Amino acid sequence: MDYWSICLLFISLFGTILRTGGVELSFELPDNAKQCFYQDIEKNATALFEFQVVTGGQYDVDVILEAPNKEIIYKQIKTQFDSHQFTASMTGAYKACFSNEFSTFSHKLVYMDFRVGDQSSLGEHVTVMTQMESSAQTVHKNLNSILDYQTHHRLREAQGRKRAEDLNTRVLLWSVMETITILVISVGQEQDIPIDINSGKLLEWLINRRHCTKDWHVMVLPIREKINNAIQDMPIHEGIAKLLSGSYINYFHCLKIVEILKETEADTKNVFGRYGSQRMKDWQEILRLYEKDNIYLAEVAQILIRNINYEIPSTKKQIQKLEQIQIELEKKEADYKKSENIAKSEFNLLCKQLGIPGEQIKLELTEKVKELPEIYEKIAKKIKSLEKVVEFYCAFVNYTLGRQHDGGCVPMVKYIIDKGNTTTYEWIYGEAPLSVSEPPLNISLNNDDLENKKIEDIDNIGIDFGKIDINSGINFEDIMLEVGGEIDWGDENVDEAIEDENIDYNISLEESGIVVEAAGHEGGIATGSKAYTILDNPSTRNDFINQLFELEAFLKVRLYEFKGDDSVNFLSFSQLQDSSSIVQYSTLENTQNMLDNVQVVLSEILDTKVQHLHNIKHSVRYVDVLTSSLKQKLSLVEKMVILQKNVKEKRENSGEDINSIRPYLQLLIQRTKELQTEIEQDISKKYKNRIVHLTGSINMFPLKNNKNEN
């Protein structure tokens, strides 16, 4: 680069600087003041306006920028800092005004920078100097940035310094005011400053302030002995009796006793004001010993601390424990009541199913079993309604097999429909027995049931003596006794008659009335399980129920076919064209009716009561299990009642304990509060009647008003 090129570069830079104008300054803006600054700007020139409040008040001002024609270009209200760049629309003097009129006492220090002209351009473009121009432009921008940063940090530094000085001044003034206030209070209002003492550290506070000595507990022992001796000789007075009842005698009680003795022992007072009564002398001596080295203060402080830390909390815990026990007992009582109701409802439900009252269980069950024949007879009558069902089923089975069923379809149901509920003997052998010897019920009754049974039998049995004339006497006139008569024993040659083996009495069997049983089972006796009826015999009963289920299943399938797809029904019914009429003409309605009849019989035979009675009759163990189950529920009910009674008694006892402890707790709190007041007043006298407060947990114990409670 030659000499002329360098000269040309500096000339361009200098020209750029000349084209750039403006003003940069910091000024003080007083309160209630307004200052304006003017800058000449040519038309189409670019201008940058910046400002910032450095110190004063809330660091804000009002700013207005006006054009020569009074047009407001820029306006801000109570702003701390901002910048605005614009292009002049006309040539003339542009006015920038700063206002602090809204502030009454705060002065402001304001920084302002008003730049006019384009600082980023270096003038006309020179082709041979392009690289030099770009370097110079970069240097120019960096220098401007450095200037801006310097200005910014100077303003921040000035602002921070001002704030620190203001804060220092305020702290100094506040410290001076506090010092003056403390001095005034300490000198003029010392009596109004309360003395706060933690109640838990009262004894330690008294010893540290040298109100009491550390060995006070040794010195208090002889005082307690004197109090015990003085109590033995006391006049009859209501106030003294109240003071001596249920509380630990302390110094303040002794003061009250002395005041009472001044009334009762007034006649022993001499002209010098002294009392000749030994009682008064003893209690005055006790007071004198108490007041020596303030022993009484240490003692009452210890009593207060013991009441606060041990007596009252332990009594409260005892009440809380009893209340918790009450809650648990109430829950137990409710649980026992619930268990009682459940057991009672289960017992009543089972008794209702069995149809017995449940007082003499085995005896009632034995009597209830006698109803089984009548129940079976009713069921047998209802079975006759299944005749169409059996006919329909047999016809369908025979058509399906193409022949008669070997064992017959539901033979037992058909038999009961035809002949009824006969004995198993007749079902097996096809003929009725001459006699039926049904096995007896093998139910062993308890002693109580037997005793009740005997009493009932005796009450039901009556002796019929006919019509007897009690007033008439016995007539012996018609009786003739022959003296010396002999007894006729008949033929005495009996042995000879017996020796004759061929005796022909010539009497026919028809005339004698003797029936000779034929060979086989004709005229037999039904014994054992064969003596039971078909519905009563467990084996035949199960077969009968199975056959009913067979009929029910068949009818349900037929109903399903009726309600199924039409194409399937058509195919099914087309296959039954050659069957009997009862099968062909069966419909959905009559099939449903037949199913209902079968289900009615099933519900009757499977009824809970019938099943219980059947099992009772044929199973001794079932009777025992059922009886023990019912008795167990009864015993559970009785047990729950006893437990409820015991729990209720315990709960009532707990309530009585709580009611007896609560008055003691209130009395203890009341005495503690009174002791607190007396200690505060006594300590206050030692500090020129300043207010004394015993703080801590003592204030957490509420004292209830007995009048409000009542």
Side-chain angles (χ1 to χ4, degrees):
M1 185 179 294
D2 56 2
Y3 172 77
W4 295 106
S5 298
I6 295 173
C7 291
L8 185 59
L9 176 61
F10 279 104
I11 290 170
S12 299
L13 289 173
F14 183 72
T16 302
I17 294 172
L18 289 177
R19 288 197 306 271
T20 303
V23 61
E24 180 181 8
L25 56 88
S26 296
F27 62 94
E28 184 176 358
L29 184 62
D31 55 296
N32 292 321
K34 181 178 181 181
Q35 292 186 13
C36 296
F37 301 90
Y38 297 88
Q39 177 67 38
D40 292 331
I41 305 175
E42 295 181 357
K43 185 179 180 180
N44 296 328
T46 303
L48 177 64
F49 175 70
E50 294 181 349
F51 71 93
Q52 181 175 353
V53 181
V54 180
T55 60
Q58 299 295 326
Y59 302 93
D60 53 355
V61 292
D62 296 340
V63 181
I64 298 176
L65 181 61
E66 294 182 357
N69 59 353
K70 304 298 182 180
E71 179 186 358
I72 297 176
I73 301 174
Y74 172 76
K75 182 178 181 181
Q76 289 292 335
I77 305 297
K78 292 185 178 181
T79 307
Q80 295 182 356
F81 61 90
D82 199 4
S83 63
H84 179 68
Q85 186 174 3
F86 64 96
T87 302
S89 59
M90 63 179 65
T91 302
Y94 286 78
K95 181 172 67 172
C97 295
F98 296 88
S99 174
N100 194 26
E101 294 176 344
F102 59 85
S103 179
T104 56
F105 57 86
S106 297
H107 292 257
K108 308 289 176 63
L109 181 62
V110 183
Y111 164 78
M112 182 190 69
D113 185 9
F114 208 153
R115 301 178 189 176
V116 180
D118 188 6
Q119 300 180 15
S120 61
S121 176
L122 293 177
E124 296 180 0
H125 177 69
V126 181
T127 304
V128 296
M129 298 298 293
T130 301
Q131 186 174 2
M132 182 63 70
E133 283 180 346
S134 60
S135 299
Q137 188 175 7
T138 302
V139 172
H140 180 66
K141 287 182 178 180
N142 292 336
L143 289 174
N144 287 335
S145 299
I146 291 172
L147 290 174
D148 291 339
Y149 280 122
Q150 286 179 342
T151 303
H152 174 71
H153 286 297
R154 280 199 305 270
L155 294 175
R156 293 294 299 273
E157 181 184 2
Q159 188 176 9
R161 187 185 304 110
K162 182 63 176 176
R163 286 184 177 178
E165 291 175 355
D166 293 342
L167 182 61
N168 186 28
T169 303
R170 292 178 183 178
V171 171
L172 179 61
L173 293 175
W174 182 255
S175 301
V176 172
M177 291 175 62
E178 281 189 342
T179 304
I180 294 172
T181 303
I182 292 172
L183 291 175
V184 171
I185 292 175
S186 61
V187 173
Q189 298 181 355
E190 182 182 0
Q191 298 298 325
D192 296 335
I193 300 175
I195 301 174
D196 294 334
I197 307 172
N198 192 328
S199 57
K201 298 181 179 180
L202 176 60
L203 183 58
E204 183 180 351
W205 185 88
L206 292 172
I207 295 174
N208 291 338
R209 285 355 181 241
R210 300 184 183 276
H211 293 293
C212 304
T213 59
K214 293 183 179 180
D215 58 346
W216 65 270
H217 55 279
V218 178
M219 301 172 65
V220 80
L221 294 177
I223 300 175
R224 301 309 307 177
E225 292 179 1
K226 288 183 176 293
I227 290 175
N228 292 333
N229 295 330
I231 289 175
Q232 306 301 324
D233 182 21
M234 295 297 292
I236 300 175
H237 192 275
E238 183 180 356
I240 294 177
K242 187 177 180 180
L243 288 172
L244 298 179
S245 62
S247 62
Y248 186 83
I249 303 298
N250 55 50
Y251 170 77
F252 299 107
H253 292 152
C254 296
L255 287 176
K256 295 177 182 178
I257 290 173
V258 170
E259 292 297 327
I260 295 173
L261 289 177
K262 287 180 180 180
E263 299 176 2
T264 59
E265 308 296 326
D267 53 348
T268 63
K269 188 176 182 181
N270 55 27
V271 294
F272 299 103
R274 296 186 178 182
Y275 291 89
S277 172
Q278 185 61 35
R279 296 172 181 169
M280 180 63 78
K281 291 180 180 179
D282 292 340
W283 286 104
Q284 286 178 344
E285 178 65 16
I286 291 171
L287 291 179
R288 186 185 64 79
L289 294 175
Y290 258 137
E291 292 171 357
K292 183 181 179 182
D293 295 333
N294 294 324
I295 296 175
Y296 71 94
L297 266 180
E299 185 186 31
V300 294
Q302 187 188 41
I303 295 173
L304 183 69
I305 293 171
R306 184 173 64 247
N307 289 348
I308 294 172
N309 294 336
Y310 301 104
E311 296 294 337
I312 296 177
S314 63
T315 308
K316 280 190 170 183
K317 287 182 180 179
Q318 188 176 1
I319 293 176
Q320 290 175 358
K321 185 177 180 181
L322 290 173
E323 289 176 347
Q324 184 64 29
I325 291 174
Q326 267 195 325
I327 294 172
E328 293 176 357
L329 291 175
E330 287 177 357
K331 290 181 180 179
K332 283 187 178 180
E333 188 176 359
D335 293 339
Y336 292 151
K337 185 65 177 177
K338 183 178 179 181
S339 301
E340 177 196 353
N341 294 334
I342 292 173
K344 190 179 293 184
S345 62
E346 291 177 353
F347 176 81
N348 293 333
L349 179 61
L350 188 54
C351 289
K352 185 178 180 181
Q353 291 176 353
L354 295 172
I356 60 175
E359 296 175 357
Q360 303 170 15
I361 298 173
K362 278 196 175 182
L363 183 61
E364 293 169 358
L365 292 176
T366 305
E367 296 296 329
K368 206 67 180 176
V369 170
K370 297 178 182 179
E371 299 179 4
L372 272 178
E374 183 180 354
I375 295 173
Y376 288 146
E377 189 64 28
K378 292 180 180 178
I379 295 174
K381 290 180 180 179
K382 291 184 179 181
I383 293 173
K384 294 184 181 296
S385 63
L386 304 181
E387 184 176 359
K388 292 289 184 181
V389 181
V390 174
E391 182 181 357
F392 176 53
Y393 179 60
C394 291
F396 187 88
V397 171
N398 293 334
Y399 175 76
T400 304
L401 296 177
R403 56 182 176 81
Q404 292 290 331
H405 192 275
D406 295 337
C409 300
V410 289
M412 194 168 292
V413 178
K414 292 173 65 177
Y415 179 83
I416 294 176
I417 292 173
D418 295 337
K419 296 186 177 182
N421 185 27
T422 64
T423 60
T424 309
Y425 182 94
E426 185 174 352
W427 157 254
I428 295 173
Y429 300 114
E431 60 183 17
L434 291 177
S435 62
V436 177
S437 178
E438 187 174 314
L441 287 175
N442 191 14
I443 299 177
S444 59
L445 299 178
N446 297 331
N447 294 331
D448 296 338
D449 294 336
L450 289 173
E451 189 68 25
N452 294 327
K453 179 68 175 175
K454 290 179 181 178
I455 293 172
E456 290 178 1
D457 293 341
I458 291 172
D459 293 338
N460 294 329
I461 295 174
I463 301 174
D464 186 10
F465 292 97
K467 295 181 179 180
I468 300 175
D469 189 3
I470 300 175
N471 297 323
S472 62
I474 300 174
N475 187 7
F476 295 98
E477 295 178 357
D478 296 336
I479 301 174
M480 301 297 294
L481 298 177
E482 295 180 0
V483 180
E486 295 181 357
I487 299 174
D488 186 7
W489 297 100
D491 192 0
E492 296 181 358
N493 298 324
V494 179
D495 296 335
E496 296 178 359
I498 294 175
E499 291 177 357
D500 190 2
E501 296 180 356
N502 298 322
I503 301 175
D504 186 8
Y505 293 97
N506 196 18
I507 300 174
S508 65
L509 293 176
E510 290 77 4
E511 293 176 356
S512 64
I514 299 174
V515 179
V516 179
E517 294 183 0
H521 298 285
E522 294 180 0
I525 299 174
T527 59
S529 61
K530 297 177 183 179
Y532 295 128
T533 61
I534 295 175
L535 296 180
D536 195 17
N537 194 325
S539 59
T540 55
R541 170 190 169 89
N542 292 334
D543 293 340
F544 173 74
I545 292 173
N546 291 335
Q547 292 177 16
L548 287 179
F549 279 126
E550 183 179 348
L551 291 175
E552 183 186 26
F554 166 72
L555 293 173
K556 284 183 178 180
V557 172
R558 293 300 297 163
L559 283 176
Y560 177 77
E561 292 176 353
F562 277 118
K563 296 177 182 178
D565 190 7
D566 294 338
S567 60
V568 177
N569 290 339
F570 178 77
L571 179 62
S572 176
F573 292 130
S574 63
Q575 295 175 354
L576 299 175
Q577 290 180 357
D578 298 333
S579 62
S580 62
S581 59
I582 191 172
V583 176
Q584 292 185 19
Y585 297 120
S586 62
T587 61
L588 177 65
E589 289 76 11
N590 58 25
T591 306
Q592 182 66 51
N593 293 333
M594 288 188 287
L595 178 61
D596 294 339
N597 293 333
V598 173
Q599 289 178 343
V600 168
V601 176
L602 271 174
S603 63
E604 292 284 342
I605 195 68
L606 296 178
D607 183 65
T608 306
K609 178 181 177 181
V610 177
Q611 288 185 349
H612 279 306
L613 295 178
H614 178 78
N615 293 332
I616 290 169
K617 182 176 181 180
H618 297 283
S619 175
V620 179
R621 180 173 176 79
Y622 185 82
V623 177
D624 295 336
V625 171
L626 188 61
T627 305
S628 63
S629 176
L630 288 170
K631 289 184 177 180
Q632 184 179 6
K633 295 183 187 303
L634 279 179
S635 63
L636 181 61
V637 171
E638 295 174 356
K639 182 180 179 181
M640 291 299 107
V641 171
I642 295 172
L643 290 175
Q644 287 180 61
K645 184 178 179 181
N646 295 336
V647 168
K648 185 177 180 181
E649 291 178 357
K650 291 181 181 179
R651 182 169 55 82
E652 291 176 353
N653 293 335
S654 300
E656 292 176 358
D657 293 340
I658 292 173
N659 294 332
S660 62
I661 294 174
R662 276 178 178 164
Y664 169 73
L665 176 63
Q666 290 301 314
L667 179 62
L668 188 60
I669 294 175
Q670 180 182 356
R671 295 288 173 84
T672 305
K673 292 284 187 181
E674 292 174 357
L675 191 60
Q676 174 192 3
T677 304
E678 291 168 346
I679 293 173
E680 289 175 350
Q681 292 175 356
D682 194 87
I683 295 176
S684 177
K685 293 177 183 178
K686 298 181 182 299
Y687 287 91
K688 299 179 182 180
N689 294 325
R690 287 175 60 183
I691 299 174
V692 177
H693 294 304
L694 291 179
T695 62
S697 57
I698 188 172
N699 299 314
M700 298 174 62
F701 302 132
L703 182 61
K704 294 183 180 179
N705 191 355
N706 294 330
K707 294 182 180 180
N708 294 336
E709 288 181 354
N710 296 332

